[in-house]
Amino acid sequence: MNYSDEHVALCALNKIFGYHPTIAVSLIEKAGSALGCFSSAAHDPSVMPGPSSVMPGPDRASHPELLSELTPSALEWARNELSRIDSRGYRFLTIIDEDYPEPLRECAGPPLGLYLNGCSSPTEIFGLRPMIAFVGTRDISPYGRLWCQKLVRALAEAPIQPCIVSGMALGADGIAHRTALECGLGTIGVMATGIDSIYPVQHERLAVDIVHRPGCGLITDYPMGTSPVALNFLRRNRIIAGLVSAVIVVESKTRGGSLMTARYACEYSREVFALPGRIDDIRSAGCNSLIHAQMARIITSPEELVGELGLGRPSRGAGGSWAAGSGATLRSILTRKYGELSAQVRIGEAVKENLGITVEALSAQLILPYQEVLTAVTVMEADGILTTDLLGRCSLTPNYS
């Protein structure tokens, strides 16, 4: 792709003012163009705007020291960066491009540029469907996993199908991305690294699947080669909130990136929804606090959520329930599959009543040998009826819950 001098300048400014895009926007307005920011006149500290920052907190300085970085070498770096982008098949979108995502452009202090990796055009990724974010804790519970899957599946059955946006993290993010792909929805992964690296490494396969699926993509505003340090995730969360019309918080502790994304969403006048949880569960404490503070609307059912998001009214049973339209019960399904006296029937009912129960607890509750329960659970996992997490906690898959 042939990038203009203005694109080169925006690429350089994106690197220099990445944490303070509002300053860069003000400089561009004063200089008349991004390239004009690199003229000698722009190096006068008096042209710097007043205190401003897109990042929340006490740091609202204008950062005049950044003017010293507006040099010819910065433009040369940007030319090389854009050349590397082209050679690897990525794209660089700037705020002057028509296919830059419009919801993000309208936010205060939008990123000057976005790196994009995907097999579709930017318009196909950003411009054809409403975008909905799913965020939540990495330490997701079986309850959170189950309802994250159910809610994404419900959106996939909506008359207007959205694109699912999340942050590529372990836990809720990965579950939302993967479920979207399984349901045929578009999904966008917003990264806290350069576009040329994947974090965490456990999601390398997920990243490959996203970039090769039409209508999906990975994006970041960080230059290539950027490592995942803690501060980077604030900028990632800002982009997630700015891209979408609504943010859904699946599970969150009282501190963390999910709550920060929700706060950004409120600043940007986006809708925020939260999945309620037990009052004694630390992984639901953040969601419950958002609801209590009236910063988020409570999620009471997949059908209600779909309607409140303006995606139309789903058919009865949205979310992939095994009972939808069939009148079947879990017991009848398991009986037909495994036999009335099978351990699987008793295990399925026990897991339904005790979400997150372990194999050891199942063995004790059902008074069955541990090895027999483990074997039955393994068979049910292979049949797509149960899932177990790293701690051995069992939950029914969305089709059977």
Side-chain angles (χ1 to χ4, degrees):
M1 178 175 177
N2 292 323
Y3 292 100
S4 67
D5 289 342
E6 191 70 359
H7 284 91
V8 171
L10 284 166
C11 183
L13 291 173
N14 182 68
K15 180 188 179 187
I16 297 169
F17 294 98
Y19 288 101
H20 311 283
T22 52
I23 297 176
V25 170
S26 295
L27 282 175
I28 293 170
E29 291 175 353
K30 291 176 181 292
S33 67
L35 191 60
C37 294
F38 292 84
S39 68
S40 57
H43 292 203
D44 182 350
S46 65
V47 306
M48 288 293 283
S52 176
S53 173
V54 73
M55 308 301 286
D59 182 12
R60 301 286 178 175
S62 59
H63 300 277
E65 75 279 1
L66 295 177
L67 289 177
S68 65
E69 299 185 37
L70 298 173
T71 63
S73 63
L75 293 174
E76 186 60 27
W77 172 88
R79 291 188 189 93
N80 292 333
E81 177 83 342
L82 294 174
S83 178
R84 290 192 295 269
I85 290 169
D86 262 357
S87 68
R88 300 195 183 192
Y90 308 140
R91 294 194 57 168
F92 186 71
L93 302 177
T94 73
I95 55 173
I96 65 172
D97 294 322
E98 289 185 2
D99 47 11
Y100 185 94
E102 198 59 36
L104 192 58
R105 196 200 315 264
E106 294 172 352
C107 293
L112 299 184
L114 291 174
Y115 296 76
L116 169 65
N117 185 11
C119 65
S120 298
S121 70
T123 298
E124 292 171 315
I125 295 172
F126 301 117
L128 301 182
R129 299 148 297 180
M131 292 183 277
I132 308 294
F134 276 73
V135 297
T137 181
R138 291 167 173 80
D139 179 30
I140 194 167
S141 71
Y143 167 81
R145 174 184 294 272
L146 173 66
W147 278 100
C148 184
Q149 293 171 326
K150 276 194 167 191
L151 294 174
V152 173
R153 290 179 185 276
L155 300 189
E157 296 174 10
I160 301 172
Q161 294 187 333
C163 178
I164 304 302
V165 178
S166 198
M168 292 297 291
L170 297 174
D173 292 18
I175 293 166
H177 287 306
R178 179 56 68 187
T179 306
L181 292 173
E182 292 170 355
C183 295
L185 292 178
T187 189
I188 297 170
V190 186
M191 302 162 58
T193 65
I195 197 69
D196 54 335
S197 60
I198 302 301
Y199 178 84
V201 294
Q202 295 94 319
H203 279 168
E204 287 182 351
R205 179 71 252 176
L206 174 62
V208 170
D209 291 343
I210 288 174
V211 300
H212 288 94
R213 179 71 66 86
C216 302
L218 301 177
I219 63 170
T220 181
D221 66 335
Y222 286 105
M224 289 181 18
T226 302
S227 300
V229 298
L231 185 61
N232 291 4
F233 291 88
L234 289 177
R235 278 168 59 176
R236 180 203 65 178
N237 296 341
R238 168 174 59 91
I239 293 174
I240 291 173
L243 272 176
V244 301
S245 58
V247 171
I248 296 170
V249 186
V250 177
E251 275 188 331
S252 175
K253 299 176 183 177
T254 54
R255 298 176 65 88
S258 300
L259 293 191
M260 185 58 70
T261 305
R263 292 190 184 102
Y264 279 133
C266 290
E267 284 185 22
Y268 297 152
S269 300
R270 307 310 195 226
E271 291 272 20
V272 180
F273 295 85
L275 179 71
R278 298 194 316 266
I279 62 174
D280 61 348
D281 187 343
I282 61 172
R283 285 168 294 197
S284 289
C287 289
N288 293 340
S289 68
L290 286 172
I291 294 168
H292 176 73
Q294 298 184 339
M295 291 178 63
R297 298 164 68 178
I298 188 171
I299 296 173
T300 56
S301 74
E303 295 86 353
E304 288 300 318
L305 176 64
V306 170
E308 289 173 348
L309 289 171
L311 303 177
R313 303 301 299 185
S315 59
R316 183 175 178 271
S321 170
W322 47 265
S326 67
T329 65
L330 177 62
R331 184 179 184 86
S332 67
I333 292 173
L334 296 179
T335 296
R336 287 198 301 269
K337 190 171 187 65
Y338 300 110
E340 186 174 357
L341 302 179
S342 66
Q344 282 89 345
V345 173
R346 298 175 63 191
I347 289 170
E349 292 189 319
V351 172
K352 186 174 186 294
E353 294 298 322
N354 303 274
L355 186 64
I357 191 171
T358 64
V359 174
E360 291 86 349
L362 281 169
S363 175
Q365 178 176 318
L366 301 176
I367 317 177
L368 290 173
Y370 173 83
Q371 193 59 48
E372 181 181 351
V373 174
L374 179 61
T375 299
V377 166
T378 302
V379 170
M380 295 173 78
E381 276 196 285
D383 290 338
I385 296 171
L386 283 183
T387 62
T388 59
D389 63 16
L390 295 176
L391 297 179
R393 298 173 297 194
C394 302
S395 57
L396 294 168
T397 59
N399 286 341
Y400 295 89
S401 57

